[in-house]
Amino acid sequence: MPELPEVETVRRGLSPHIVGHRLRGARVRHPRLRWPVPAGLDRLVKGQRITALERRGKYLILGLEHGGLLLHLGMSGSLRLVAAATPPEKHDHVDLLLDSGQALRLRDPRRFGAVLWSEAPAAHPLLASLGIEPLSRGFDGEALYRLSRGKTTAIKHLIMDAHLIVGVGNIYANEALFQACIRPTLRADQLSRPRCHRLAEAIKDTLRRAIKAGGSSLRDFVNGHGEPGYFQQSYFVYGRAGEPCRQCGTTIKSLRQANRASHYCPNCQKG
């Protein structure tokens, strides 16, 4: 599933090419995504100017003069800028047609993505329960320390809980914990204040480096121009079970946590 760096990469890549443009309408080929695409989408967006493209967690918010759209890429979706006349392929479900002659095209093979209309998309119920943005000024070691108090869950589970911290998916949780020298199974409330500061900085640094690299392309992810990301080439632990640690040479181990793969170095992440 595209995580925060991938969604932010899409946002940054598309914004300069769409903000300020008007929508000529929408073309819906398959309305049955995770939630039904609004039946009147063409009428709702036609003639409206795009005022912003923002991100909240793993959602994109397409702001219009009146209302806007909440977009989600699901597990394998992509949002690309293509010439509006480009023939659609099998999994190209929705086009937002721009006055530039281009289209924002949602491709979603598994149909777990979303295109939802809202009069106030930033206040949509799907966003109401989301936690703090990890790249915001409000997220730091003190914030993480407060969130972890009284939590007996594993620290990896806590930093992946979107009700507490948004957008830190499995890949980046593994990498940030390695950078902070913390084992993924450690109980959250056992983290000291200094270690919370170290982990918060590791989360920020990992996400920023991933965004700079264009995100991770393990299967289907491409940015808004159809280009893959490259962060997977610099993983320290994720997907490297059985390989030597890049820092100490110890064999990387793996385990299952809540049906997710956790990867760690037994030497660098001792506790």
Side-chain angles (χ1 to χ4, degrees), residues 222-251:
V222 292
N223 65 22
H225 303 286
E227 302 161 339
Y230 296 98
F231 190 65
Q232 67 275 8
Q233 297 176 7
S234 60
Y235 290 166
F236 281 92
V237 289
Y238 183 79
R240 298 190 64 245
E243 299 179 27
C245 174
R246 298 187 193 278
Q247 290 193 168
C248 72
T250 301
T251 301

Side-chain angles (χ1 to χ4, degrees):
M1 177 183 291
E3 300 181 8
L4 186 155
E6 289 76 51
V7 179
E8 180 65 15
T9 295
V10 171
R11 188 196 72 79
R12 294 184 184 187
L14 291 176
S15 288
H17 302 280
I18 67 171
V19 173
H21 285 275
R22 290 193 179 274
L23 289 169
R24 296 191 293 110
R27 185 180 295 129
V28 180
R29 300 181 189 85
H30 298 287
R32 295 181 61 184
L33 302 180
R34 185 174 182 181
W35 298 282
V37 178
L41 184 62
D42 179 71
R43 172 182 53 81
L44 289 166
V45 305
K46 185 173 291 185
Q48 291 221 54
R49 185 173 62 87
I50 298 173
T51 59
L53 182 62
E54 300 173 335
R55 180 191 56 75
R56 181 72 171 102
K58 299 178 184 180
Y59 289 91
L60 288 169
I61 303 171
L62 188 73
L64 303 175
E65 293 171 299
H66 306 288
L69 298 174
L70 200 66
L71 308 171
H72 197 284
L73 301 180
M75 295 185 69
S76 59
S78 63
L79 190 65
R80 309 185 194 190
L81 193 64
V82 301
T86 303
E89 298 182 8
K90 179 180 179 180
H91 301 298
D92 293 342
H93 302 319
V94 179
D95 283 358
L96 298 174
L97 306 172
L98 299 165
D99 59 7
S100 62
Q102 295 182 298
L104 278 179
R105 178 165 289 177
L106 177 67
R107 174 175 296 175
D108 188 1
R110 299 190 184 184
R111 297 193 190 181
F112 287 157
V115 178
L116 299 173
W117 169 262
S118 176
E119 294 291 340
H124 194 281
L126 287 172
L127 307 184
S129 64
L130 293 181
I132 191 169
E133 287 281 344
L135 294 179
S136 69
R137 290 185 178 181
F139 180 72
D140 56 16
E142 286 301 310
L144 183 57
Y145 184 76
R146 291 192 298 270
L147 288 173
S148 64
R149 295 309 88 186
K151 301 293 195 306
T152 59
T153 187
I155 184 58
K156 186 189 172 198
H157 295 164
L158 184 141
I159 64 175
M160 289 181 62
D161 186 342
H163 298 295
L164 301 175
I165 306 167
V166 295
V168 184
N170 194 41
I171 293 172
Y172 303 107
N174 276 277
E175 292 297 305
L177 287 165
F178 173 81
Q179 185 171 326
C181 302
I182 296 171
R183 191 164 295 203
T185 53
L186 182 67
R187 214 170 81 172
D189 62 0
Q190 292 181 344
L191 257 71
S192 64
R193 182 176 270 109
R195 297 185 86 190
C196 283
H197 279 270
R198 192 165 71 215
L199 179 55
E201 285 305 309
I203 291 171
K204 286 178 178 285
D205 181 67
T206 298
L207 294 175
R208 286 171 178 152
R209 288 189 294 109
I211 292 169
K212 186 176 181 180
S216 298
S217 290
L218 299 183
R219 292 184 182 176
D220 305 303
F221 173 73
V222 292
N223 65 22
H225 303 286
E227 302 161 339
Y230 296 98
F231 190 65
Q232 67 275 8
Q233 297 176 7
S234 60
Y235 290 166
F236 281 92
V237 289
Y238 183 79
R240 298 190 64 245
E243 299 179 27
C245 174
R246 298 187 193 278
Q247 290 193 168
C248 72
T250 301
T251 301
I252 299 297
K253 301 292 185 182
S254 68
L255 55 87
R256 301 294 292 182
Q257 289 182 280
N259 295 318
R260 295 291 190 94
S262 292
H263 302 87
Y264 67 98
C265 172
N267 181 53
C268 295
Q269 297 168 264
K270 291 182 177 178

